[in-house]
Amino acid sequence: MKHRTLALPLSVLTLAALTGCGSLSIGGSDERDTVTVWLMQNSASKGFLEKFEKEYEAENGDVDLDITIQEWTGVGKKVTEALADEDADAPDVIEVGNTQVAQYVDQGGLLDLSLESMRDLGMEDWLPGLAEPGSVKGAQYGIPWYAANRVVLYNKDLFKAAGIDKLPRDQEEWLALTERLNTGSQQGIYLAGQDWYTLAGFIWEEGGELAVDKDGIWSGSLDTPQALAGMDFYGRLQALGQGPKDADEQTPPQTDVFAKGKVAQIVTVPGSAKLIEEANPKLAGKIGYFPIPGKKAGRAGAVFTGGSDLVIPENTDQEWAAKDVIKALAGARWQKELATTMDYVPNKTTLASAVDANPGAAAMTEGAARGRATPTSPRWAAVEADNPIKQYMTEVLSGGDAKQAARLASQQITEALDVRHE
């Protein structure tokens, strides 16, 4: 596979799929077009990329793909520079994190793909957690590529020992089941006090928001009754284990805690099972998965969706060819291939059956249908830099006044999202 080596020290992005709508005609001359694609490290396997490149070029004889693998570290600066670059070597297609699209739109330089996404890509079935952050002020700039979200990983042996043979259908059943598992030295669940992505899902499940946009002005909204109800549920669940109140899920790594065999459940992505089994091979084959339960019986709860969108810089000199590459990557054929190869969630709810044979990915796909992303403010990164949501969670879990702590955190979010602070 042809990979162009970049001299720049920082990095960027990803790739995937084609369905029943035919490819666009990309020119009638004998000259071959080169489409430069920036994809992120580990977003797709080498084997997938080699297969995609070989078959795409065979089906589109006048196109060469130049796929360059980038790293996530420092990606923001590098993409920003690429969007402002008029050089012929600038990329034509870029993989970006789904929550980054609004920031790049605000900086300028992304191509509006609304017509293509509505006409040819079946956007009515896109996962909301990828499609919504890719849309800014009614225009679609990011085309969903792949998704991943949290599920509940559980220890099958501990469930069996507790006589639990049915998985919870809703939040109240989840609490009751977890309480049964929380005995002696055994934790019903390990949930760190500052796992704010998990909290976000509980808030959305109640109908609340982290922040709201009114006429272009963003403000924090953790102090609404719905958001407070989400925090209350988090507190009830977190109390059924021994997770720290003042640290996140990486301090210590919750996979290491689960690997000791005394924790019945954690909330994480399915891929964490591999880390657990590496730490404790005795747990191999003893880890199960189920979607995070929602308030309504039989319906998965709302979750934070991570993943990637594909974008095209306005300065591309291969606009139509770049659009055709995205149509391939975002279409059913390559979406199914990517999902089964990488244990991802495909970009459409109608493609969910592609991962039915994989229990972890199947559980993840159920949740993804109700997935969300962080607020689409271009300044959301400023919130995460000194995250007041984490501080708010610790205050509440430590016995502080929830309403007062929520008002303070909401005020801090509002200040961070204020464009006048730039």
Side-chain angles (χ1 to χ4, degrees):
M1 180 168 52
K2 299 182 292 297
H3 286 280
R4 193 163 52 112
T5 301
L6 298 185
L8 294 175
L10 303 178
S11 16
V12 186
L13 316 133
T14 325
L15 120 69
L18 162 61
T19 100
C21 34
S23 297
L24 294 174
S25 173
I26 308 173
S29 69
D30 293 332
E31 183 178 346
R32 296 175 65 83
D33 294 312
T34 297
V35 178
T36 301
V37 183
W38 279 7
L39 299 177
M40 296 305 300
Q41 187 177 32
N42 299 324
S43 285
S45 67
K46 180 180 179 182
F48 173 89
L49 296 179
E50 288 177 341
K51 183 177 181 180
F52 175 78
E53 181 173 349
K54 179 180 179 181
E55 295 190 19
Y56 185 87
E57 290 183 346
E59 294 165 1
N60 299 271
D62 52 355
V63 176
D64 287 327
L65 293 182
D66 181 4
I67 300 174
T68 303
I69 304 303
Q70 307 286 346
E71 298 175 359
W72 287 106
T73 303
V75 67
K77 180 176 183 292
K78 193 168 184 180
V79 173
T80 298
E81 292 174 349
L83 295 180
D85 189 1
E86 298 297 334
D87 192 288
D89 289 334
D92 304 299
V93 175
I94 304 176
E95 175 197 355
V96 300
N98 60 326
T99 62
Q100 296 174 328
V101 178
Q103 173 187 343
Y104 297 135
V105 172
D106 186 63
Q107 294 170 355
L110 286 188
L111 192 65
D112 182 353
L113 300 172
S114 299
L115 291 178
E116 286 71 21
S117 61
M118 290 186 290
R119 184 180 61 213
D120 296 327
L121 294 176
M123 65 184 298
E124 65 278 359
D125 297 324
W126 279 345
L127 295 179
L130 295 179
E132 291 173 4
S135 176
V136 180
K137 296 180 180 179
Q140 195 73 37
Y141 294 92
I143 303 300
W145 192 32
Y146 70 84
N149 51 265
R150 288 160 177 75
V151 300
V152 182
L153 264 65
Y154 69 95
N155 185 314
K156 293 180 179 178
D157 284 351
L158 297 185
F159 269 52
K160 183 178 180 180
I164 297 172
D165 55 8
K166 292 184 179 179
L167 298 175
R169 297 175 302 165
D170 57 37
Q171 286 185 342
E172 291 305 316
E173 286 189 3
W174 190 21
L175 285 172
L177 173 153
T178 303
E179 189 168 10
R180 286 176 60 186
L181 291 161
N182 191 33
T183 59
S185 61
Q186 178 181 301
Q187 299 183 56
I189 190 169
Y190 180 88
L191 183 60
Q194 295 184 347
D195 186 353
W196 71 279
Y197 283 120
T198 296
L199 170 64
F202 296 161
I203 289 174
W204 294 327
E205 183 67 12
E206 294 287 347
E209 300 289 345
L210 302 178
V212 294
D213 175 16
K214 185 175 181 180
D215 299 326
I217 305 298
W218 284 90
S219 57
S221 56
L222 295 177
D223 53 345
T224 65
Q226 296 86 351
L228 286 166
M231 183 65 223
D232 178 69
F233 178 79
Y234 190 99
R236 293 166 66 194
L237 185 64
Q238 203 266 346
L240 299 175
Q242 301 166 27
K245 294 179 173 59
D246 58 353
D248 61 23
E249 62 274 22
Q250 294 301 319
T251 313
Q254 62 177 344
T255 51
D256 290 349
V257 179
F258 187 93
K260 294 177 182 178
K262 293 295 184 179
V263 170
Q265 306 170 91
I266 57 173
V267 179
T268 184
V269 293
S272 295
K274 295 178 181 178
L275 298 175
I276 293 167
E277 292 172 359
E278 289 174 2
N280 183 359
K282 292 181 180 180
L283 288 178
K286 298 181 178 181
I287 298 174
Y289 315 85
F290 60 86
I292 295 174
K295 294 185 67 176
K296 183 178 179 180
R299 187 181 75 172
V303 292
F304 170 77
T305 299
S308 290
D309 283 11
L310 298 169
V311 301
I312 297 177
E314 283 184 324
N315 57 18
T316 178
D317 59 359
Q318 298 290 347
E319 178 178 334
W320 293 107
K323 290 177 179 178
D324 197 60
V325 170
I326 284 185
K327 288 178 182 179
L329 291 173
R333 173 184 168 190
W334 291 103
Q335 277 292 298
K336 291 178 181 179
E337 180 101 16
L338 183 68
T340 55
T341 299
M342 302 298 296
D343 297 338
Y344 288 150
V345 178
N347 65 0
K348 288 186 177 183
T349 56
T350 50
L351 299 177
S353 61
V355 295
D356 280 351
N358 183 320
M364 190 164 56
T365 299
E366 283 191 56
R370 302 195 62 234
R372 298 279 304 277
T374 50
T376 55
S377 165
R379 286 188 53 82
W380 184 256
V383 175
E384 295 189 30
D386 186 23
N387 200 325
I389 304 175
K390 289 186 173 184
Q391 300 158 25
Y392 156 64
M393 296 172 73
T394 294
E395 177 67 17
V396 176
L397 295 175
S398 299
D401 184 283
K403 292 183 179 180
Q404 182 177 335
R407 283 194 295 270
L408 175 59
S410 296
Q411 180 182 346
Q412 292 170 327
I413 291 173
T414 301
E415 291 173 354
L417 297 179
D418 190 340
V419 295
R420 291 172 297 182
H421 289 197
E422 293 181 326

